[in-house]
Structure formats: structure tokens, C-alpha cells
Amino acid sequence: MTAITENYQAIVISFVTAILLFVAAGVGSLVLGTFLAALRVGPVAIMRRAAGVYVTSVRNIPLLVVLLFLYYAGPKIGVTFRFVDIVIPTGWGDIRMTNAFATAVVGLTLYTACFVCEAIRSGINAVPVGQAEAARAIGLPFSGVMRQVVLPQAFRAALPPLASVQIALLKNTTVAIAITVLETAYQLKQLTDANPGDRWWLLAVFAGGFVLLVEIVSFASNRMERRWRVAR
């Protein structure tokens, strides 16, 4: 237990870093995933195929490979995030959002967007075809049909799978240890290496922290789903 009481500040900072990764990649993946889903059901054949190839390809690549490619191979082809260097000082330590953090956000976003796309596409398929046809009949363009008619209903239908995707994203933040982001998995490794006698206590604390975060996301998703059901 001494490893926990003596390093609780570093543990909290690591969870804050993981939450920031989750929020940034979650917002980015929702935006990109929605755009990809719109392309996949759009009227332009070449855009449908391009979006389909991207989703099929990236979601079948391990997330670790995506992160390692962006971090090590990216700079070789001019893709770098060295301009990102944000340090937020706190009373318990510094929260560092550097190039490694930015790379992790981009990698998680590109990867998770594929699953968001498929979840939203399933929601789009649940919307009655007649509603889109009626919207087109009154003169709405494809963008207007998607924005005003289809996507609001699709998000309601896709909320449960979207929640599952975001929970998976939260747990996937631990993969950022591969590119030395100072998040939970990195901190856990550092502490267990330095305090082997407290290994099980440390594992229990970090596991409990993730259980709590997942429960918060699940609770928020359930509340939103109930509110949308009542709004109908």
C-alpha cells in the first residue's frame, strides 16, 4: 500500500492524461466517423468506395501498429506533431500534451473512427427509407437530408453500439504506452517495476480506476438513451 499512498499524485495525473486522450480522440472519432458514414451511404460512387476501403483497411490493422507507424514512420514521410508542446502544471505534477500525446490522439481517432462509422451506418440503415425520400422530394440536398433528417435519428438508433465503441476507446488509451505517453499503463509499469511487493495493490487500484471510468461512460450513455426515448 505504501507505493499507492506515496505516489497517489502520479496515479491521478496518469488517469487525467488517459481521460484527456479519451475525450480528444472520442470527439475526433465521432466527427470523422460521422463523415465516413455519410460518405458510405452517399450518392457518389467513388467516395463510397474510398470510405469503404479506408474503414475496411484501418479497422483490420492492430491499433499498436497504427500508433507505431505514426510515431516512428510518420516523421520519415513528413507527418510529425513536434509543434505540439503543452505542459499544464498542477499542484501534483505536470500534465504533458506533447508530440507523443498528439500522435496518440491522431492514431486513436483514425482507428476508432472506423468503428464509429459502422455504428452510425447501422443507425442510418434503421431510419425508414421513406423519410429520406420525403426530404429529397421537398428539395433538400443530400447534405440537408443527412443533417436534418437522417443523422439525428441514426444517432438515437446507434447510441448503444456507439457507447460500446467509446468504452473500447477508453481502454485502448493504454496502448499509448508504446509511444511513451505518460498515461495509466505507463505509470503502472513504472510503479510495479519500482515496487514489486505492492504489485497486486497497484493492479487493483488501476483496474478499479478503469472500472469507475467505464461505469461513468455507461451511466451517461444510459441517461442519454432514456432522455431520447422520452423525447420521442
Side-chain angles (χ1 to χ4, degrees):
M1 285 293 289
T2 56
I4 297 169
T5 56
E6 292 175 359
N7 298 282
Y8 72 93
Q9 297 174 335
I11 294 173
V12 171
I13 291 295
S14 70
F15 272 100
V16 171
T17 303
I19 292 170
L20 289 173
L21 270 176
F22 166 68
V23 172
V27 172
S29 63
L30 281 174
V31 173
L32 179 57
T34 303
F35 178 69
L36 289 170
L39 291 182
R40 292 206 69 182
V41 299
V44 183
I46 189 172
M47 300 300 286
R48 284 200 308 271
R49 294 194 185 98
V53 168
Y54 173 83
V55 170
T56 304
S57 301
V58 175
R59 73 175 177 173
N60 288 313
I61 299 174
L63 174 58
L64 179 60
V65 174
V66 174
L67 292 181
L68 291 176
F69 176 83
L70 288 173
Y71 191 70
Y72 292 107
K76 304 293 185 182
I77 59 176
V79 179
T80 180
F81 304 95
R82 289 176 183 153
F83 58 90
V84 180
D85 188 12
I86 302 172
V87 178
I88 302 175
T90 68
W92 291 356
D94 294 337
I95 299 172
R96 297 185 175 275
M97 291 182 284
T98 58
N99 62 317
F101 182 93
T103 302
V105 169
V106 172
L108 287 166
T109 298
L110 295 176
Y111 181 78
T112 309
C114 300
F115 299 92
V116 171
C117 168
E118 293 302 278
I120 293 176
R121 192 162 70 97
S122 69
I124 291 173
N125 291 334
V127 177
V129 178
Q131 297 203 20
E133 292 176 346
R136 286 195 296 268
I138 63 174
L140 280 177
F142 174 76
S143 59
V145 173
M146 293 298 295
R147 186 175 64 253
Q148 299 179 38
V149 179
V150 176
L151 284 179
Q153 299 179 72
F155 272 110
R156 292 184 181 185
L159 187 58
L162 277 177
S164 297
V165 169
Q166 295 303 312
I167 288 172
L169 168 62
L170 176 59
K171 292 184 284 188
N172 282 341
T173 58
T174 56
V175 182
I177 186 179
I179 55 175
T180 65
V181 178
L182 307 182
E183 44 70 60
T184 50
Y186 184 93
Q187 193 62 57
L188 176 61
K189 183 179 185 303
Q190 296 293 102
L191 291 176
T192 52
D193 287 347
N195 305 275
D198 289 333
R199 180 181 294 113
W200 295 110
W201 285 111
L202 289 165
L203 288 171
V205 167
F206 278 86
F210 268 98
V211 169
L212 177 61
L213 291 177
V214 168
E215 286 300 317
I216 291 172
V217 175
S218 299
F219 175 77
S221 171
N222 292 335
R223 283 292 300 270
M224 191 178 299
E225 189 175 359
R226 284 197 296 270
R227 288 185 64 181
W228 280 357
R229 192 179 298 123
V230 170
R232 286 183 179 181

mmCIF file of all heavy atoms in Angstrom, residues 7-58:
data_model
loop_
_atom_site.group_PDB
_atom_site.id
_atom_site.type_symbol
_atom_site.label_atom_id
_atom_site.label_comp_id
_atom_site.label_asym_id
_atom_site.label_seq_id
_atom_site.Cartn_x
_atom_site.Cartn_y
_atom_site.Cartn_z
ATOM 1 N N ASN A 7 2.612 7.615 -4.015
ATOM 2 C CA ASN A 7 2.595 8.016 -5.436
ATOM 3 C C ASN A 7 1.186 8.307 -5.937
ATOM 4 O O ASN A 7 0.949 8.266 -7.146
ATOM 5 C CB ASN A 7 3.216 6.914 -6.290
ATOM 6 C CG ASN A 7 4.665 6.630 -5.969
ATOM 7 O OD1 ASN A 7 5.564 7.362 -6.378
ATOM 8 N ND2 ASN A 7 4.907 5.564 -5.205
ATOM 9 N N TYR A 8 0.260 8.611 -5.044
ATOM 10 C CA TYR A 8 -1.124 8.820 -5.470
ATOM 11 C C TYR A 8 -1.246 10.014 -6.425
ATOM 12 O O TYR A 8 -2.111 10.027 -7.311
ATOM 13 C CB TYR A 8 -2.039 9.002 -4.260
ATOM 14 C CG TYR A 8 -1.878 10.314 -3.524
ATOM 15 C CD1 TYR A 8 -2.671 11.416 -3.838
ATOM 16 C CD2 TYR A 8 -0.930 10.454 -2.513
ATOM 17 C CE1 TYR A 8 -2.524 12.609 -3.168
ATOM 18 C CE2 TYR A 8 -0.773 11.639 -1.843
ATOM 19 C CZ TYR A 8 -1.569 12.727 -2.164
ATOM 20 O OH TYR A 8 -1.422 13.920 -1.509
ATOM 21 N N GLN A 9 -0.373 11.000 -6.254
ATOM 22 C CA GLN A 9 -0.436 12.161 -7.155
ATOM 23 C C GLN A 9 -0.090 11.760 -8.587
ATOM 24 O O GLN A 9 -0.774 12.156 -9.542
ATOM 25 C CB GLN A 9 0.520 13.255 -6.662
ATOM 26 C CG GLN A 9 0.151 13.802 -5.292
ATOM 27 C CD GLN A 9 1.185 14.776 -4.776
ATOM 28 O OE1 GLN A 9 2.350 14.733 -5.166
ATOM 29 N NE2 GLN A 9 0.770 15.664 -3.881
ATOM 30 N N ALA A 10 0.958 10.958 -8.761
ATOM 31 C CA ALA A 10 1.334 10.495 -10.093
ATOM 32 C C ALA A 10 0.248 9.606 -10.693
ATOM 33 O O ALA A 10 -0.006 9.636 -11.899
ATOM 34 C CB ALA A 10 2.656 9.740 -10.028
ATOM 35 N N ILE A 11 -0.413 8.817 -9.855
ATOM 36 C CA ILE A 11 -1.505 7.958 -10.331
ATOM 37 C C ILE A 11 -2.657 8.811 -10.846
ATOM 38 O O ILE A 11 -3.223 8.543 -11.909
ATOM 39 C CB ILE A 11 -1.971 7.012 -9.210
ATOM 40 C CG1 ILE A 11 -0.850 6.017 -8.861
ATOM 41 C CG2 ILE A 11 -3.232 6.262 -9.616
ATOM 42 C CD1 ILE A 11 -1.140 5.153 -7.654
ATOM 43 N N VAL A 12 -3.013 9.844 -10.090
ATOM 44 C CA VAL A 12 -4.107 10.734 -10.512
ATOM 45 C C VAL A 12 -3.749 11.420 -11.831
ATOM 46 O O VAL A 12 -4.578 11.515 -12.750
ATOM 47 C CB VAL A 12 -4.410 11.769 -9.417
ATOM 48 C CG1 VAL A 12 -5.383 12.830 -9.930
ATOM 49 C CG2 VAL A 12 -4.996 11.076 -8.185
ATOM 50 N N ILE A 13 -2.509 11.908 -11.953
ATOM 51 C CA ILE A 13 -2.074 12.575 -13.183
ATOM 52 C C ILE A 13 -2.166 11.622 -14.371
ATOM 53 O O ILE A 13 -2.580 12.003 -15.473
ATOM 54 C CB ILE A 13 -0.631 13.104 -13.025
ATOM 55 C CG1 ILE A 13 -0.593 14.263 -12.033
ATOM 56 C CG2 ILE A 13 -0.071 13.553 -14.380
ATOM 57 C CD1 ILE A 13 -1.339 15.503 -12.466
ATOM 58 N N SER A 14 -1.807 10.351 -14.156
ATOM 59 C CA SER A 14 -1.863 9.382 -15.254
ATOM 60 C C SER A 14 -3.301 9.159 -15.703
ATOM 61 O O SER A 14 -3.570 9.026 -16.902
ATOM 62 C CB SER A 14 -1.220 8.066 -14.836
ATOM 63 O OG SER A 14 -1.994 7.377 -13.883
ATOM 64 N N PHE A 15 -4.239 9.120 -14.764
ATOM 65 C CA PHE A 15 -5.646 8.948 -15.133
ATOM 66 C C PHE A 15 -6.191 10.203 -15.822
ATOM 67 O O PHE A 15 -6.994 10.103 -16.749
ATOM 68 C CB PHE A 15 -6.488 8.598 -13.901
ATOM 69 C CG PHE A 15 -6.557 7.125 -13.628
ATOM 70 C CD1 PHE A 15 -5.744 6.549 -12.663
ATOM 71 C CD2 PHE A 15 -7.419 6.309 -14.340
ATOM 72 C CE1 PHE A 15 -5.795 5.187 -12.418
ATOM 73 C CE2 PHE A 15 -7.478 4.948 -14.102
ATOM 74 C CZ PHE A 15 -6.663 4.378 -13.138
ATOM 75 N N VAL A 16 -5.753 11.370 -15.385
ATOM 76 C CA VAL A 16 -6.162 12.609 -16.061
ATOM 77 C C VAL A 16 -5.661 12.608 -17.504
ATOM 78 O O VAL A 16 -6.386 12.984 -18.432
ATOM 79 C CB VAL A 16 -5.642 13.842 -15.295
ATOM 80 C CG1 VAL A 16 -5.889 15.117 -16.117
ATOM 81 C CG2 VAL A 16 -6.331 13.954 -13.950
ATOM 82 N N THR A 17 -4.425 12.175 -17.711
ATOM 83 C CA THR A 17 -3.872 12.089 -19.068
ATOM 84 C C THR A 17 -4.681 11.118 -19.922
ATOM 85 O O THR A 17 -4.991 11.399 -21.089
ATOM 86 C CB THR A 17 -2.401 11.646 -19.026
ATOM 87 O OG1 THR A 17 -1.658 12.560 -18.219
ATOM 88 C CG2 THR A 17 -1.801 11.611 -20.426
ATOM 89 N N ALA A 18 -5.052 9.972 -19.347
ATOM 90 C CA ALA A 18 -5.864 8.998 -20.079
ATOM 91 C C ALA A 18 -7.233 9.569 -20.428
ATOM 92 O O ALA A 18 -7.751 9.348 -21.535
ATOM 93 C CB ALA A 18 -6.022 7.716 -19.256
ATOM 94 N N ILE A 19 -7.824 10.322 -19.506
ATOM 95 C CA ILE A 19 -9.136 10.935 -19.772
ATOM 96 C C ILE A 19 -9.025 11.972 -20.886
ATOM 97 O O ILE A 19 -9.903 12.060 -21.762
ATOM 98 C CB ILE A 19 -9.699 11.558 -18.478
ATOM 99 C CG1 ILE A 19 -10.058 10.452 -17.472
ATOM 100 C CG2 ILE A 19 -10.920 12.419 -18.781
ATOM 101 C CD1 ILE A 19 -10.382 10.970 -16.088
ATOM 102 N N LEU A 20 -7.949 12.772 -20.866
ATOM 103 C CA LEU A 20 -7.750 13.755 -21.931
ATOM 104 C C LEU A 20 -7.575 13.059 -23.286
ATOM 105 O O LEU A 20 -8.119 13.517 -24.308
ATOM 106 C CB LEU A 20 -6.531 14.620 -21.621
ATOM 107 C CG LEU A 20 -6.686 15.612 -20.461
ATOM 108 C CD1 LEU A 20 -5.352 16.283 -20.161
ATOM 109 C CD2 LEU A 20 -7.742 16.659 -20.798
ATOM 110 N N LEU A 21 -6.830 11.967 -23.308
ATOM 111 C CA LEU A 21 -6.691 11.172 -24.534
ATOM 112 C C LEU A 21 -8.053 10.691 -25.012
ATOM 113 O O LEU A 21 -8.390 10.778 -26.201
ATOM 114 C CB LEU A 21 -5.796 9.958 -24.278
ATOM 115 C CG LEU A 21 -4.291 10.086 -24.487
ATOM 116 C CD1 LEU A 21 -3.612 8.787 -24.067
ATOM 117 C CD2 LEU A 21 -3.959 10.404 -25.931
ATOM 118 N N PHE A 22 -8.841 10.170 -24.089
ATOM 119 C CA PHE A 22 -10.166 9.639 -24.414
ATOM 120 C C PHE A 22 -11.096 10.716 -24.958
ATOM 121 O O PHE A 22 -11.771 10.515 -25.975
ATOM 122 C CB PHE A 22 -10.770 9.000 -23.160
ATOM 123 C CG PHE A 22 -12.237 8.714 -23.262
ATOM 124 C CD1 PHE A 22 -12.712 7.748 -24.132
ATOM 125 C CD2 PHE A 22 -13.146 9.408 -22.483
ATOM 126 C CE1 PHE A 22 -14.070 7.483 -24.225
ATOM 127 C CE2 PHE A 22 -14.504 9.150 -22.569
ATOM 128 C CZ PHE A 22 -14.969 8.185 -23.445
ATOM 129 N N VAL A 23 -11.120 11.859 -24.298
ATOM 130 C CA VAL A 23 -12.020 12.942 -24.728
ATOM 131 C C VAL A 23 -11.624 13.472 -26.104
ATOM 132 O O VAL A 23 -12.457 13.619 -27.000
ATOM 133 C CB VAL A 23 -12.039 14.080 -23.685
ATOM 134 C CG1 VAL A 23 -12.800 15.288 -24.219
ATOM 135 C CG2 VAL A 23 -12.671 13.585 -22.385
ATOM 136 N N ALA A 24 -10.328 13.751 -26.288
ATOM 137 C CA ALA A 24 -9.864 14.298 -27.570
ATOM 138 C C ALA A 24 -10.091 13.312 -28.702
ATOM 139 O O ALA A 24 -10.633 13.670 -29.764
ATOM 140 C CB ALA A 24 -8.379 14.658 -27.474
ATOM 141 N N ALA A 25 -9.703 12.051 -28.499
ATOM 142 C CA ALA A 25 -9.899 11.051 -29.551
ATOM 143 C C ALA A 25 -11.373 10.710 -29.727
ATOM 144 O O ALA A 25 -11.815 10.399 -30.840
ATOM 145 C CB ALA A 25 -9.103 9.791 -29.230
ATOM 146 N N GLY A 26 -12.146 10.765 -28.642
ATOM 147 C CA GLY A 26 -13.575 10.479 -28.746
ATOM 148 C C GLY A 26 -14.293 11.501 -29.604
ATOM 149 O O GLY A 26 -15.095 11.139 -30.481
ATOM 150 N N VAL A 27 -14.012 12.774 -29.374
ATOM 151 C CA VAL A 27 -14.634 13.828 -30.186
ATOM 152 C C VAL A 27 -14.169 13.712 -31.642
ATOM 153 O O VAL A 27 -14.977 13.771 -32.580
ATOM 154 C CB VAL A 27 -14.298 15.218 -29.618
ATOM 155 C CG1 VAL A 27 -14.773 16.323 -30.557
ATOM 156 C CG2 VAL A 27 -14.928 15.386 -28.245
ATOM 157 N N GLY A 28 -12.859 13.529 -31.840
ATOM 158 C CA GLY A 28 -12.333 13.406 -33.204
ATOM 159 C C GLY A 28 -12.897 12.216 -33.940
ATOM 160 O O GLY A 28 -13.252 12.308 -35.130
ATOM 161 N N SER A 29 -13.024 11.076 -33.257
ATOM 162 C CA SER A 29 -13.538 9.875 -33.923
ATOM 163 C C SER A 29 -15.021 10.002 -34.241
ATOM 164 O O SER A 29 -15.491 9.481 -35.263
ATOM 165 C CB SER A 29 -13.299 8.644 -33.047
ATOM 166 O OG SER A 29 -13.995 8.736 -31.825
ATOM 167 N N LEU A 30 -15.785 10.706 -33.400
ATOM 168 C CA LEU A 30 -17.200 10.926 -33.704
ATOM 169 C C LEU A 30 -17.364 11.783 -34.948
ATOM 170 O O LEU A 30 -18.207 11.501 -35.810
ATOM 171 C CB LEU A 30 -17.901 11.581 -32.514
ATOM 172 C CG LEU A 30 -18.280 10.661 -31.352
ATOM 173 C CD1 LEU A 30 -18.820 11.476 -30.192
ATOM 174 C CD2 LEU A 30 -19.319 9.634 -31.803
ATOM 175 N N VAL A 31 -16.550 12.834 -35.053
ATOM 176 C CA VAL A 31 -16.637 13.716 -36.228
ATOM 177 C C VAL A 31 -16.206 12.968 -37.489
ATOM 178 O O VAL A 31 -16.926 12.950 -38.501
ATOM 179 C CB VAL A 31 -15.771 14.978 -36.018
ATOM 180 C CG1 VAL A 31 -15.714 15.810 -37.297
ATOM 181 C CG2 VAL A 31 -16.318 15.809 -34.869
ATOM 182 N N LEU A 32 -15.032 12.338 -37.439
ATOM 183 C CA LEU A 32 -14.536 11.619 -38.613
ATOM 184 C C LEU A 32 -15.410 10.419 -38.944
ATOM 185 O O LEU A 32 -15.696 10.156 -40.122
ATOM 186 C CB LEU A 32 -13.097 11.165 -38.357
ATOM 187 C CG LEU A 32 -12.423 10.375 -39.493
ATOM 188 C CD1 LEU A 32 -12.413 11.182 -40.793
ATOM 189 C CD2 LEU A 32 -11.003 9.977 -39.096
ATOM 190 N N GLY A 33 -15.866 9.702 -37.940
ATOM 191 C CA GLY A 33 -16.716 8.539 -38.178
ATOM 192 C C GLY A 33 -18.047 8.918 -38.800
ATOM 193 O O GLY A 33 -18.547 8.211 -39.690
ATOM 194 N N THR A 34 -18.631 10.036 -38.362
ATOM 195 C CA THR A 34 -19.882 10.505 -38.955
ATOM 196 C C THR A 34 -19.673 10.893 -40.415
ATOM 197 O O THR A 34 -20.500 10.578 -41.284
ATOM 198 C CB THR A 34 -20.423 11.708 -38.164
ATOM 199 O OG1 THR A 34 -20.604 11.332 -36.794
ATOM 200 C CG2 THR A 34 -21.752 12.175 -38.723
ATOM 201 N N PHE A 35 -18.560 11.563 -40.694
ATOM 202 C CA PHE A 35 -18.242 11.946 -42.074
ATOM 203 C C PHE A 35 -18.071 10.704 -42.955
ATOM 204 O O PHE A 35 -18.593 10.640 -44.071
ATOM 205 C CB PHE A 35 -16.972 12.793 -42.088
ATOM 206 C CG PHE A 35 -16.514 13.199 -43.452
ATOM 207 C CD1 PHE A 35 -17.241 14.101 -44.214
ATOM 208 C CD2 PHE A 35 -15.350 12.680 -43.992
ATOM 209 C CE1 PHE A 35 -16.825 14.481 -45.488
ATOM 210 C CE2 PHE A 35 -14.913 13.039 -45.253
ATOM 211 C CZ PHE A 35 -15.661 13.943 -46.001
ATOM 212 N N LEU A 36 -17.362 9.702 -42.446
ATOM 213 C CA LEU A 36 -17.161 8.464 -43.210
ATOM 214 C C LEU A 36 -18.486 7.740 -43.441
ATOM 215 O O LEU A 36 -18.729 7.205 -44.535
ATOM 216 C CB LEU A 36 -16.194 7.548 -42.469
ATOM 217 C CG LEU A 36 -14.730 7.983 -42.436
ATOM 218 C CD1 LEU A 36 -13.928 7.101 -41.466
ATOM 219 C CD2 LEU A 36 -14.107 7.935 -43.825
ATOM 220 N N ALA A 37 -19.350 7.736 -42.433
ATOM 221 C CA ALA A 37 -20.653 7.075 -42.592
ATOM 222 C C ALA A 37 -21.489 7.779 -43.652
ATOM 223 O O ALA A 37 -22.163 7.122 -44.470
ATOM 224 C CB ALA A 37 -21.399 7.063 -41.261
ATOM 225 N N ALA A 38 -21.437 9.123 -43.670
ATOM 226 C CA ALA A 38 -22.171 9.868 -44.696
ATOM 227 C C ALA A 38 -21.624 9.550 -46.086
ATOM 228 O O ALA A 38 -22.391 9.414 -47.049
ATOM 229 C CB ALA A 38 -22.086 11.372 -44.410
ATOM 230 N N LEU A 39 -20.301 9.418 -46.200
ATOM 231 C CA LEU A 39 -19.721 9.063 -47.491
ATOM 232 C C LEU A 39 -20.149 7.664 -47.922
ATOM 233 O O LEU A 39 -20.421 7.419 -49.104
ATOM 234 C CB LEU A 39 -18.189 9.134 -47.427
ATOM 235 C CG LEU A 39 -17.549 10.510 -47.273
ATOM 236 C CD1 LEU A 39 -16.035 10.384 -47.268
ATOM 237 C CD2 LEU A 39 -17.993 11.450 -48.393
ATOM 238 N N ARG A 40 -20.213 6.750 -46.972
ATOM 239 C CA ARG A 40 -20.522 5.355 -47.309
ATOM 240 C C ARG A 40 -21.965 5.162 -47.772
ATOM 241 O O ARG A 40 -22.273 4.173 -48.438
ATOM 242 C CB ARG A 40 -20.246 4.444 -46.118
ATOM 243 C CG ARG A 40 -18.777 4.335 -45.773
ATOM 244 C CD ARG A 40 -18.460 3.037 -45.080
ATOM 245 N NE ARG A 40 -18.594 1.904 -46.001
ATOM 246 C CZ ARG A 40 -18.405 0.640 -45.652
ATOM 247 N NH1 ARG A 40 -18.099 0.351 -44.396
ATOM 248 N NH2 ARG A 40 -18.533 -0.328 -46.523
ATOM 249 N N VAL A 41 -22.850 6.089 -47.425
ATOM 250 C CA VAL A 41 -24.243 5.984 -47.888
ATOM 251 C C VAL A 41 -24.558 7.085 -48.906
ATOM 252 O O VAL A 41 -25.715 7.246 -49.297
ATOM 253 C CB VAL A 41 -25.233 6.060 -46.700
ATOM 254 C CG1 VAL A 41 -24.990 4.927 -45.727
ATOM 255 C CG2 VAL A 41 -25.138 7.411 -45.988
ATOM 256 N N GLY A 42 -23.546 7.838 -49.317
ATOM 257 C CA GLY A 42 -23.752 8.960 -50.228
ATOM 258 C C GLY A 42 -23.964 8.532 -51.669
ATOM 259 O O GLY A 42 -23.786 7.359 -52.032
ATOM 260 N N PRO A 43 -24.304 9.483 -52.505
ATOM 261 C CA PRO A 43 -24.621 9.178 -53.907
ATOM 262 C C PRO A 43 -23.398 9.079 -54.822
ATOM 263 O O PRO A 43 -23.526 8.641 -55.963
ATOM 264 C CB PRO A 43 -25.504 10.368 -54.323
ATOM 265 C CG PRO A 43 -25.005 11.504 -53.482
ATOM 266 C CD PRO A 43 -24.575 10.904 -52.178
ATOM 267 N N VAL A 44 -22.214 9.492 -54.349
ATOM 268 C CA VAL A 44 -21.013 9.495 -55.192
ATOM 269 C C VAL A 44 -20.288 8.163 -55.025
ATOM 270 O O VAL A 44 -19.759 7.859 -53.952
ATOM 271 C CB VAL A 44 -20.084 10.668 -54.838
ATOM 272 C CG1 VAL A 44 -18.882 10.696 -55.779
ATOM 273 C CG2 VAL A 44 -20.843 11.994 -54.889
ATOM 274 N N ALA A 45 -20.260 7.380 -56.108
ATOM 275 C CA ALA A 45 -19.742 6.012 -56.027
ATOM 276 C C ALA A 45 -18.274 5.968 -55.593
ATOM 277 O O ALA A 45 -17.884 5.144 -54.760
ATOM 278 C CB ALA A 45 -19.919 5.309 -57.369
ATOM 279 N N ILE A 46 -17.448 6.851 -56.148
ATOM 280 C CA ILE A 46 -16.014 6.805 -55.835
ATOM 281 C C ILE A 46 -15.760 7.149 -54.367
ATOM 282 O O ILE A 46 -14.862 6.569 -53.729
ATOM 283 C CB ILE A 46 -15.225 7.754 -56.777
ATOM 284 C CG1 ILE A 46 -13.725 7.524 -56.593
ATOM 285 C CG2 ILE A 46 -15.591 9.223 -56.505
ATOM 286 C CD1 ILE A 46 -12.883 8.261 -57.616
ATOM 287 N N MET A 47 -16.570 8.049 -53.800
ATOM 288 C CA MET A 47 -16.425 8.392 -52.386
ATOM 289 C C MET A 47 -16.897 7.236 -51.504
ATOM 290 O O MET A 47 -16.291 6.966 -50.462
ATOM 291 C CB MET A 47 -17.218 9.660 -52.064
ATOM 292 C CG MET A 47 -16.791 10.873 -52.858
ATOM 293 S SD MET A 47 -15.055 11.297 -52.590
ATOM 294 C CE MET A 47 -15.107 11.996 -50.959
ATOM 295 N N ARG A 48 -17.961 6.549 -51.926
ATOM 296 C CA ARG A 48 -18.423 5.380 -51.180
ATOM 297 C C ARG A 48 -17.334 4.317 -51.121
ATOM 298 O O ARG A 48 -17.060 3.739 -50.082
ATOM 299 C CB ARG A 48 -19.672 4.782 -51.823
ATOM 300 C CG ARG A 48 -20.956 5.539 -51.581
ATOM 301 C CD ARG A 48 -22.172 4.653 -51.824
ATOM 302 N NE ARG A 48 -22.140 3.988 -53.123
ATOM 303 C CZ ARG A 48 -22.634 4.496 -54.241
ATOM 304 N NH1 ARG A 48 -23.186 5.707 -54.212
ATOM 305 N NH2 ARG A 48 -22.587 3.834 -55.381
ATOM 306 N N ARG A 49 -16.707 4.074 -52.268
ATOM 307 C CA ARG A 49 -15.664 3.046 -52.325
ATOM 308 C C ARG A 49 -14.435 3.457 -51.510
ATOM 309 O O ARG A 49 -13.838 2.638 -50.820
ATOM 310 C CB ARG A 49 -15.271 2.779 -53.779
ATOM 311 C CG ARG A 49 -16.383 2.146 -54.603
ATOM 312 C CD ARG A 49 -15.859 1.587 -55.922
ATOM 313 N NE ARG A 49 -16.944 1.086 -56.746
ATOM 314 C CZ ARG A 49 -17.528 1.747 -57.729
ATOM 315 N NH1 ARG A 49 -17.139 2.979 -58.019
ATOM 316 N NH2 ARG A 49 -18.511 1.208 -58.426
ATOM 317 N N ALA A 50 -14.048 4.734 -51.611
ATOM 318 C CA ALA A 50 -12.874 5.212 -50.872
ATOM 319 C C ALA A 50 -13.100 5.083 -49.365
ATOM 320 O O ALA A 50 -12.215 4.618 -48.623
ATOM 321 C CB ALA A 50 -12.570 6.653 -51.244
ATOM 322 N N ALA A 51 -14.291 5.490 -48.905
ATOM 323 C CA ALA A 51 -14.602 5.371 -47.482
ATOM 324 C C ALA A 51 -14.647 3.910 -47.058
ATOM 325 O O ALA A 51 -14.173 3.544 -45.970
ATOM 326 C CB ALA A 51 -15.927 6.052 -47.173
ATOM 327 N N GLY A 52 -15.203 3.063 -47.899
ATOM 328 C CA GLY A 52 -15.259 1.639 -47.586
ATOM 329 C C GLY A 52 -13.883 1.012 -47.492
ATOM 330 O O GLY A 52 -13.614 0.207 -46.590
ATOM 331 N N VAL A 53 -12.989 1.376 -48.407
ATOM 332 C CA VAL A 53 -11.624 0.851 -48.375
ATOM 333 C C VAL A 53 -10.907 1.315 -47.102
ATOM 334 O O VAL A 53 -10.207 0.534 -46.446
ATOM 335 C CB VAL A 53 -10.847 1.294 -49.636
ATOM 336 C CG1 VAL A 53 -9.359 1.009 -49.483
ATOM 337 C CG2 VAL A 53 -11.399 0.590 -50.870
ATOM 338 N N TYR A 54 -11.072 2.592 -46.745
ATOM 339 C CA TYR A 54 -10.423 3.117 -45.541
ATOM 340 C C TYR A 54 -10.910 2.367 -44.300
ATOM 341 O O TYR A 54 -10.094 1.901 -43.486
ATOM 342 C CB TYR A 54 -10.723 4.610 -45.391
ATOM 343 C CG TYR A 54 -10.216 5.179 -44.092
ATOM 344 C CD1 TYR A 54 -8.892 5.582 -43.953
ATOM 345 C CD2 TYR A 54 -11.056 5.293 -42.977
ATOM 346 C CE1 TYR A 54 -8.421 6.081 -42.753
ATOM 347 C CE2 TYR A 54 -10.595 5.790 -41.782
ATOM 348 C CZ TYR A 54 -9.275 6.181 -41.667
ATOM 349 O OH TYR A 54 -8.818 6.668 -40.465
ATOM 350 N N VAL A 55 -12.235 2.245 -44.158
ATOM 351 C CA VAL A 55 -12.791 1.597 -42.966
ATOM 352 C C VAL A 55 -12.353 0.134 -42.893
ATOM 353 O O VAL A 55 -11.906 -0.345 -41.842
ATOM 354 C CB VAL A 55 -14.328 1.702 -42.970
ATOM 355 C CG1 VAL A 55 -14.938 0.824 -41.879
ATOM 356 C CG2 VAL A 55 -14.764 3.149 -42.775
ATOM 357 N N THR A 56 -12.459 -0.571 -44.000
ATOM 358 C CA THR A 56 -12.095 -1.987 -44.012
ATOM 359 C C THR A 56 -10.612 -2.186 -43.727
ATOM 360 O O THR A 56 -10.223 -3.117 -43.003
ATOM 361 C CB THR A 56 -12.446 -2.621 -45.365
ATOM 362 O OG1 THR A 56 -13.845 -2.423 -45.629
ATOM 363 C CG2 THR A 56 -12.140 -4.105 -45.378
ATOM 364 N N SER A 57 -9.781 -1.304 -44.262
ATOM 365 C CA SER A 57 -8.335 -1.456 -44.093
ATOM 366 C C SER A 57 -7.896 -1.124 -42.675
ATOM 367 O O SER A 57 -7.219 -1.924 -42.012
ATOM 368 C CB SER A 57 -7.594 -0.562 -45.088
ATOM 369 O OG SER A 57 -7.930 -0.886 -46.417
ATOM 370 N N VAL A 58 -8.277 0.050 -42.198
ATOM 371 C CA VAL A 58 -7.750 0.530 -40.922
ATOM 372 C C VAL A 58 -8.285 -0.283 -39.743
ATOM 373 O O VAL A 58 -7.546 -0.568 -38.798
ATOM 374 C CB VAL A 58 -8.069 2.026 -40.742
ATOM 375 C CG1 VAL A 58 -7.624 2.517 -39.364
ATOM 376 C CG2 VAL A 58 -7.387 2.847 -41.825
#
